[in-house]
Amino acid sequence: MGEFINPADVPKVKLYTGEEIPCVGMGTFGSDRNAPELVSAAVAGAVRCGYRMFDCAACYGNETQIGEVFKEAFDEGVVERKDLYIMTKVWNNMHERVEESCKKSIADLQCDYIDMFFIHWPFPNYHAPGCDGDSRNPASRPFSVEEFMNTYRQCETLVEKGLVRHIGLSNMTIPKMEAVLPLMKIMPAACELELHVSFQQQELFDYLNAHNIQPVGYMPLGSPRRPERDIFPDDVEDLQMPEMQEIAKAHGVHPALIALKWGHQRGQISIPFSVKEEKYVTNLKCLTEDPLTEEEMAKIATLERNNRLVKGQVFLWEGAKDWHDLWDEDGVIVTL
């Protein structure tokens, strides 16, 4: 085992329920490039080096292997279940069978209950694992308040049954949230969204905070190893930006750690992923030391480039113009 970072030293964020949870977790989406056994081995190392939050998803195809790792850690006394914050998601093809999805994830992860259960995408548009960017499902359709709330009500029932402790949203927009938040009985505690230096989503970020919904940023490093279908010629490489290089040099660290420090000091939970021990250890440790200055934070705030990397084009429905229709960029939910 590598260096141990005391979980008590890792900063916390507070949910609207009053619960404090780690400001950083380990992502587990590596299924496009890494075998499940490689991802679960990284999770095993991460538990032992001090990580206490893990962001999983049924569609990543590795929850069974990660569950074996969790069970081993519990059995060996490395950590107790109550000390881990385990997040997972219902995939698009299970929106009508949310409890079934949740129970399978609980069984696969061997974790008794889920701390945060996200609706992975706000519509039931399904794509096959590993599909290319041109793939389309003829059954795909635009966002529906009625369909979404049917799925969300099932999540609320899971909370009432004790299977889930908090509900999360993911890949939402302000117009979609405006339509559904007033209809909810149990408010969401968090929202996962793409957040990184060149895609700061400040308006949505501020909206979430104003509604006591904790932002959880995926792809916090700009995800240079994202799936091929999400790589476009005009994409910005966050960590290569001169300003990020300059700040990293001043701190004597890799620009990736500057991106994580920025995310934490901004107020988001970041969920970086790496199978390399030296990287996931430093990803955690960097948030316990050497913060960025106000001037550095202000400089990074100027690096917004509206550089969305996960465009979601595989979820488009017949009649949609292009991937922009998924994100309600004109402030109105796009329908047929």
Side-chain angles (χ1 to χ4, degrees):
M1 186 186 80
E3 183 177 0
F4 177 73
I5 294 90
N6 187 342
D9 295 336
V10 177
K12 307 293 189 293
V13 299
K14 185 179 287 189
L15 302 178
Y16 79 80
T17 59
E19 181 171 2
E20 292 189 335
I21 62 176
C23 74
V24 63
M26 179 181 238
T28 59
F29 175 56
S31 51
D32 58 315
R33 295 182 186 271
N34 298 294
E37 292 74 18
L38 196 59
V39 176
S40 62
V43 171
V47 171
R48 287 160 176 78
C49 86
Y51 277 84
R52 293 298 178 260
M53 173 183 282
F54 294 89
D55 180 68
C56 307
C59 77
Y60 297 168
N62 52 26
E63 289 194 329
T64 301
Q65 292 81 2
I66 291 170
E68 291 295 328
V69 163
F70 286 156
K71 183 178 187 299
E72 187 176 275
F74 298 149
D75 289 348
E76 293 179 5
V78 175
V79 68
E80 295 182 52
R81 171 66 186 92
K82 66 180 178 60
D83 298 321
L84 289 188
Y85 200 86
I86 298 174
M87 310 192 293
T88 190
K89 310 172 187 76
V90 57
W91 185 233
N92 301 2
N93 62 339
M94 296 297 285
H95 279 203
E96 296 287 340
R97 297 179 286 160
V98 176
E99 184 167 330
E100 179 185 340
S101 171
C102 179
K103 285 182 173 178
K104 185 177 190 310
S105 284
I106 290 173
D108 288 347
L109 293 168
Q110 304 194 47
C111 63
D112 298 331
Y113 60 90
I114 301 298
D115 292 284
M116 183 83 71
F117 194 58
F118 292 94
I119 299 174
H120 205 148
W121 286 85
F123 33 63
N125 302 352
Y126 173 77
H127 73 73
C131 72
D132 64 36
D134 294 326
S135 296
R136 299 290 184 271
N137 186 334
S140 293
R141 49 193 183 269
F143 176 80
S144 159
V145 171
E146 182 179 356
E147 284 187 334
F148 181 87
M149 285 309 302
N150 175 56
T151 302
Y152 195 88
R153 294 269 181 255
Q154 295 173 68
C155 293
E156 292 177 325
T157 299
L158 296 178
V159 174
E160 292 164 353
K161 290 184 175 183
L163 295 172
V164 165
R165 297 183 61 239
H166 299 105
I167 303 171
L169 307 176
S170 185
N171 294 302
M172 291 289 277
T173 65
I174 291 176
K176 289 182 177 71
M177 286 192 288
E178 290 278 84
V180 299
L181 287 181
L183 306 177
M184 295 172 176
K185 181 168 59 174
I186 300 174
M187 287 295 106
C191 181
E192 277 201 19
L193 63 161
E194 182 181 334
L195 287 176
H196 48 92
V197 167
S198 67
F199 193 59
Q200 302 183 17
Q201 298 214 70
Q202 192 65 50
E203 185 181 6
L204 179 52
F205 186 87
D206 291 343
Y207 180 93
L208 294 172
N209 282 322
H211 288 79
N212 296 313
I213 301 172
Q214 172 64 43
V216 179
Y218 67 77
M219 302 175 91
L221 309 181
S223 193
R225 290 179 57 78
R226 62 193 177 277
E228 293 291 338
R229 66 171 176 266
D230 290 322
I231 297 177
F232 288 76
D234 295 335
D235 292 341
V236 177
E237 292 190 43
D238 292 21
L239 305 185
Q240 299 302 317
M241 300 173 95
E243 297 86 349
M244 293 295 287
Q245 296 273 332
E246 177 189 344
I247 296 171
K249 186 176 181 180
H251 287 260
V253 299
H254 192 279
L257 304 188
I258 300 303
L260 293 176
K261 289 175 186 288
W262 165 79
H264 162 55
Q265 290 176 228
R266 188 190 189 208
Q268 66 203 44
I269 293 172
S270 293
I271 44 174
F273 168 71
S274 178
V275 297
K276 296 181 178 178
E277 183 178 280
E278 68 273 17
K279 289 187 177 180
Y280 61 69
V281 169
T282 54
N283 285 349
L284 182 64
K285 185 179 181 181
C286 79
L287 301 180
T288 69
E289 60 188 11
D290 190 25
L292 303 181
T293 66
E294 290 184 12
E295 292 76 15
E296 289 167 337
M297 289 294 291
K299 180 175 289 189
I300 294 174
T302 69
L303 301 182
E304 168 63 52
R305 299 293 184 270
N306 195 30
N307 181 44
R308 185 185 293 278
L309 300 176
V310 175
K311 296 170 176 65
Q313 69 275 20
V314 291
F315 300 120
L316 288 173
W317 53 89
E318 188 175 347
K321 293 192 298 294
D322 58 26
W323 62 265
H324 293 278
D325 280 0
L326 295 165
W327 303 104
D328 309 329
E329 292 171 348
D330 293 331
V332 178
I333 297 172
V334 177
T335 58
L336 288 174

